């Protein structure tokens, strides 16, 4: 038996095995390094850039203060009667106006129009100051992100606010339908809802920052690759109705457009940093 030949066979066999085991060890070591780097605090901007997610501006680290808010949905028919009495004007909004519970609809007879979106805030503010055209108009302000100037139904949106934070909710807004006429967008009609007696239910609480919210959406796979963050803002949203009263919490609203052009608005509770996009409004009836 050729022991020398057998020895060389074992030598090359074990050499090959060692090389194979070393390569496995090296790959495992590299993977551990990747996990280690992932655990480090990588700026959210770098993470978004690496996945071709675009956005404008910087993500603020400021922690605002916010509240749990309570308010009463306004009976718009009663509010209209009271405003007519207050202004001593029985004909106030008497024409082209209808009310149904908490919603008022009015066809605008005053000629108001904008020729470009940059005029929207000023023209809308002027309109809202007209007591003969809008109830509680001074309580509303332009909600730019939710307004739209393209498509089949261009709309201007104004919302109530509390201590500088708007209420982005259908229970507290004015939506003005616009129509294209002679290269300008004319005010056509509006629907209005309103919340009375807004009060905080507890002391102000520090809110999660915009940067923290974006990070939460990212790690929960709510911002797909090759998408664009169109806008984001802090606003109150309705979460609970208790015996006829509305309860609002501050939330971050983030509009994300995917690569197919579809836009989804995500909501994140700014008090808890929990995603509430698909949450329904809970209702507590009288016992």
């Amino acid at each position: 038996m050729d022991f020398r030949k057998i020895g060389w066979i074992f030598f090359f066999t074990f050499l090959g095995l060692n090389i194979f085991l070393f390569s496995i060890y090296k790959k495992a070591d590299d993977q551990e390094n990747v996990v280690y780097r992932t655990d480090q605090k990588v700026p959210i901007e770098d993470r978004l850039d690496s996945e071709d997610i675009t956005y404008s501006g910087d993500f603020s680290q400021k922690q605002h203060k916010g509240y749990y808010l309570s308010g009463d949905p306004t009976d718009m028919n009663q509010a209209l009667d009271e405003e007519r009495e207050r202004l001593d004007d029985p004909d106030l909004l008497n024409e082209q106006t209808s009310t149904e519970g908490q919603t008022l609809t009015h066809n605008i007879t005053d000629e108001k129009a904008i020729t470009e979106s940059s005029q929207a805030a000023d023209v809308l503010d002027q309109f809202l100051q007209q007591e003969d055209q809008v109830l509680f108009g001074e309580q509303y302000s332009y909600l730019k992100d939710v307004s739209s100037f393209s498509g089949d139904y261009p709309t201007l949106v104004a919302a109530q606010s509390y201590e500088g934070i708007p209420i982005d909710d259908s229970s507290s807004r004015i939506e003005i339908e616009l129509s294209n006429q002679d290269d300008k967008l004319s005010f056509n009609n509006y629907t209005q809802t309103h919340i009375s007696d807004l009060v905080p239910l507890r002391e102000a609480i520090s809110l999660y920052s915009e940067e923290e919210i974006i990070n939460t959406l990212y790690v929960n796979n709510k911002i797909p690759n090759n998408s664009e963050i169109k806008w984001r803002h802090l606003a109150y949203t309705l979460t609970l109705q208790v015996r006829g009263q509305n309860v609002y919490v501050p939330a971050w609203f983030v509009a994300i457009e995917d690569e197919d052009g579809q836009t989804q608005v995500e909501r994140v509770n700014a008090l808890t940093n929990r995603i509430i996009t698909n949450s329904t409004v809970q209702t507590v009836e009288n016992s």
Side-chain angles (χ1 to χ4, degrees):
M1 181 178 290
D2 190 347
F3 290 101
R4 181 185 294 274
K5 186 176 182 180
I6 293 174
W8 280 110
I9 291 173
F10 275 105
F11 172 79
F12 285 113
T13 300
F14 281 109
L15 178 62
L17 181 61
N18 286 331
I19 292 173
F20 175 73
L21 293 175
F22 178 78
S23 67
I24 292 178
Y25 168 79
K26 184 62 178 174
K27 288 181 181 178
D29 185 58
D30 289 343
Q31 288 175 351
E32 289 179 1
N33 286 337
V34 170
V35 173
Y36 175 75
R37 288 195 296 270
T38 301
D39 288 340
Q40 289 180 334
K41 187 173 178 59
V42 179
I44 184 60
E45 293 84 358
D46 292 347
R47 298 186 186 186
L48 298 180
D49 290 345
S50 70
E51 298 185 12
D52 295 322
I53 298 169
T54 59
Y55 54 92
S56 61
D58 298 320
F59 300 124
S60 174
Q61 297 180 353
K62 180 179 180 180
Q63 292 185 310
H64 299 266
K65 296 282 189 178
Y67 303 87
Y68 287 97
L69 288 181
S70 172
D72 298 318
T74 302
D75 182 317
M76 297 305 290
N77 185 59
Q78 180 180 340
L80 181 56
D81 288 341
E82 291 175 352
E83 196 68 2
R84 285 170 176 169
E85 183 177 348
R86 185 183 74 85
L87 297 174
D88 193 21
D89 183 3
D91 295 324
L92 176 67
L93 296 180
N94 198 32
E95 297 182 0
Q96 309 293 323
T97 303
S98 62
T99 57
E100 184 176 350
Q102 299 161 12
T103 303
L104 180 147
T105 303
H106 176 66
N107 290 327
I108 301 170
T109 56
D110 228 24
E111 186 173 341
K112 285 286 182 185
I114 58 175
T115 56
E116 54 186 42
S117 59
S118 61
Q119 300 174 334
D122 291 337
V123 175
L124 178 59
D125 184 64
Q126 293 171 13
F127 177 73
L128 294 174
Q129 301 306 313
Q130 296 180 249
E131 289 187 332
D132 62 335
Q133 291 292 319
V134 188
L135 300 182
F136 316 117
E138 74 284 353
Q139 297 181 22
Y140 295 81
S141 55
Y142 180 42
L143 204 55
K144 177 182 178 181
D145 294 333
V146 185
S147 299
S148 172
F149 302 97
S150 59
D152 296 330
Y153 304 101
T155 307
L156 276 179
V157 179
Q160 290 177 262
S161 61
Y162 189 84
E163 292 190 357
I165 299 178
I167 301 174
D168 187 353
D169 190 85
S170 61
S171 63
S172 169
R173 63 171 48 172
I174 293 174
E175 296 187 7
I176 301 176
E177 181 182 309
L178 306 174
S179 58
N180 281 292
Q181 297 178 1
D182 302 324
D183 296 326
K184 62 184 178 181
L185 291 169
S186 299
F187 288 28
N188 192 15
N189 60 67
Y190 70 78
T191 58
Q192 178 182 11
T193 53
H194 181 267
I195 297 298
S196 303
D197 303 320
L198 277 169
V199 293
L201 297 177
R202 54 180 296 180
E203 295 181 354
I205 306 170
S206 291
L207 307 179
Y208 282 88
S209 70
E210 179 183 39
E211 182 183 66
E212 291 171 314
I213 293 299
I214 294 296
N215 187 70
T216 294
L217 291 173
Y218 173 81
V219 299
N220 283 279
N221 299 316
K222 296 298 184 180
I223 310 178
N225 294 357
N226 305 304
S227 62
E228 179 183 0
I229 299 174
K230 302 292 289 186
W231 53 260
R232 62 266 186 194
H233 65 233
L234 178 65
Y236 284 99
T237 186
L238 178 64
T239 58
L240 179 66
Q241 291 179 313
V242 183
R243 300 179 181 85
Q245 283 198 319
N246 290 354
V247 177
Y248 301 87
V249 299
W252 283 97
F253 291 68
V254 182
I256 302 165
E257 183 182 279
D258 64 23
E259 57 184 336
D260 296 324
Q262 301 298 312
T263 300
Q264 166 79 8
V265 178
E266 300 287 349
R267 290 185 302 154
V268 183
N269 188 320
L271 295 168
T272 63
N273 201 12
R274 291 181 179 272
I275 299 171
I276 57 172
T277 303
N278 298 317
S279 299
T280 58
V281 177
Q282 298 182 14
T283 303
V284 178
E285 303 291 351
N286 290 326
S287 56

